[in-house]
Amino acid sequence: MKPHPLALAAAVAVWCSAAASALAATPAVQGPEAVQDWFNAGKSFIATSKHIEPIKTRAKNVILFVGDGMGISSVTGARILEGQLNGKPGEENRLSFETLPYVAFSKTYSWDQQTSDSAPTMSAIMTGYKTREGMLSVNHLTARGDCSAANLASTSVKTLLEKAADNGKATGVVSTARLTHATPAATYAHTPVRDWEADSNQPAGCEVKDIARQLLEVSPKVRNSLKVAMGGGRTYFLPKVKNGANFYDPEYPTQQGRRNDGRDLTQEWVTTRGTGAQFVWNKAQFDAIDPATTPYLLGLFEPSHMQYEADRTLDTAGEPSLTEMTDKAIKMLSRQPNGYFLHVEAGRVDHAHHAGNAKRALLDAIELSRAVKRAMEMTNEQDTLIIVTADHSHTFTIGGYPHRGNSITGLVREVPAIDGDPVKNAVDSNGLPYTTLAYANGPGYRVGGRPDLTGVDTNAISFLQEATVPLASETHAGEDVPIYARGPRAYLVHGSMEQNWIYHVMRHAFDF
């Protein structure tokens, strides 16, 4: 039976009224931009880009920043988190290094790994050669675990830091990881096993010097050029026993040194570098260092890795931030008339990801951005090449359909289908909410199935994001990572690059 025309008209009127009301409702999610802002921003980008001119002269200085494990998703997450910490939606934010004019992708596989560890990846960046898993600044003909010093000498390949020293440049290494850890160690050490950080980590009778010892016993040219080395790893430089008594860390009196040879390499640094050389291990000592008068500085601020940026202010003895270490290193190196090479690593981005702890990882990536900003402010792009990259990525994902400005570390809350409706948690097939950030594997796996995260503070600093595959430590990922650059010959950074080509860009910028 057909509906009465008046009834049909009434129904249509009600529907139209409801639709009009919905259209007139204020959206629960709103960006801060006006309509024209998008177009104007695009015009501004083009106008600015037209003024970018490649700098073809050689570089006096090169600064290499490495966010260890800082893949694309880490950059995106850090960008949003920084913006949100500044009271913005976050998505429109840019980290300091995202403003650099030249960008490329780095292919991070090594000679024998599809998904690599930090040793061969950083070795590729520092030497121009891809090598084997777990090896530092040696070629791929090196035998795993080979303790022959002669064999190591035949397969070692020179690093950019060593070439810089040969060419009269000052050099420096800064990291929030142990200075003996893979990424910083690849700048100065050569070894078939990255874990040989102290002699106690090596087989008995091994001829190859441990990594901490290599930092002290570098070539005469490197010893003269290496003005500053700062990071963690203090106990790898300290003896287990000294003068017949157990020897303990100055900050943690229950932690013994790790060296079997009885050597205190921190004191050897001071005595072998000459008048004015300094060793510091806490914030007060660091602050007291005058970069204008200190010729050599060794800073070791923790027995192992330095604190995460989120926890740094809680450290009893205090320790400098990555930005503060970068600032002091540049001031020391800038005194050298022939220029310098400086490597700066945000090492704990990687460690937090391994722990399945996204917030700490992103906060350390934000601190790297601050350090890059400081370096940009302190240097002239006409004579200083700055490169920012990562050695590899992680299985870290940003997923779901969260609304604009949704807490990046929070639960996914979607744009309502009808304007005026409130936002609410998105749910999985079992009706359970889930977070925007997650890992493909790692310690965040929940035995027994997904938990109900309703009421859980996923923004808490120690919250572990969920993982699909249970592992004690989350793994690296194999996708490409970004490279950002500015300065002399930065235009050579472009397209899809093999990771070892980064070395060749820096070498060519220096005209070595």
Side-chain angles (χ1 to χ4, degrees), residues 218-405:
V218 288
S219 71
K221 286 186 177 179
V222 174
R223 182 167 61 183
N224 181 61
S225 82
L226 188 57
K227 304 297 183 183
V228 56
M230 290 187 285
R234 199 162 51 226
T235 52
Y236 294 80
F237 293 79
L238 299 177
K240 290 182 179 178
V241 176
K242 186 174 182 179
N243 299 325
N246 290 344
F247 193 82
Y248 295 97
D249 183 82
E251 184 177 3
Y252 304 94
T254 61
Q255 294 194 34
Q256 233 175 316
R258 296 175 184 266
R259 303 200 60 79
N260 287 331
D261 57 13
R263 296 173 63 178
D264 183 343
L265 299 184
T266 64
Q267 290 307 305
E268 289 187 30
W269 169 277
V270 174
T271 57
T272 59
R273 264 60 184 176
T275 304
Q278 299 288 328
F279 164 66
V280 298
W281 61 267
N282 60 46
K283 184 67 162 60
Q285 293 173 347
F286 170 86
D287 289 342
I289 292 294
D290 183 355
T293 59
T294 304
Y296 295 96
L297 174 63
L298 175 64
L300 298 172
F301 300 104
E302 283 289 328
S304 183
H305 304 300
M306 292 180 66
Q307 300 283 349
Y308 290 113
E309 179 60 21
D311 310 312
R312 183 174 57 82
T313 58
L314 304 177
D315 184 69
T316 303
E319 57 187 57
S321 68
L322 187 65
T323 301
E324 291 170 325
M325 291 192 291
T326 300
D327 179 286
K328 190 148 290 188
I330 291 175
K331 286 175 179 174
M332 287 184 63
L333 296 175
S334 295
R335 295 163 46 204
Q336 310 307 313
N338 292 328
Y340 60 84
F341 168 74
L342 172 63
H343 163 56
V344 179
E345 183 206 20
R348 306 235 64 193
V349 176
D350 177 70
H351 303 154
H353 278 321
H354 280 308
N357 185 189
K359 191 162 188 177
R360 279 191 171 91
L362 299 183
L363 289 172
D364 270 61
I366 291 170
E367 176 57 23
L368 173 66
S369 176
R370 295 191 192 104
V372 174
K373 182 175 184 291
R374 181 68 59 84
M376 291 165 63
E377 293 166 346
M378 296 177 70
T379 58
N380 185 338
E381 67 176 335
Q382 295 299 317
D383 67 10
T384 302
L385 171 65
I386 292 179
I387 291 180
V388 183
T389 189
D391 47 354
H392 55 74
S393 185
H394 276 270
T395 71
F396 178 56
T397 63
I398 303 175
Y401 300 97
H403 67 73
R404 175 88 181 270

Side-chain angles (χ1 to χ4, degrees), residues 119-175:
T121 51
M122 187 59 177
S123 294
I125 294 171
M126 285 305 302
T127 69
Y129 296 91
K130 293 208 177 196
T131 189
R132 300 180 62 192
E133 182 271 334
M135 297 188 181
L136 292 174
S137 299
V138 294
N139 67 38
H140 67 253
L141 300 178
T142 307
R144 190 177 307 282
D146 189 350
C147 273
S148 166
N151 290 345
L152 181 69
S154 70
T155 61
S156 292
V157 283
K158 218 161 211 184
T159 72
L160 189 75
L161 184 147
E162 291 169 322
K163 282 187 174 292
D166 289 344
N167 284 271
K169 302 280 186 184
T171 58
V173 180
V174 170
S175 177

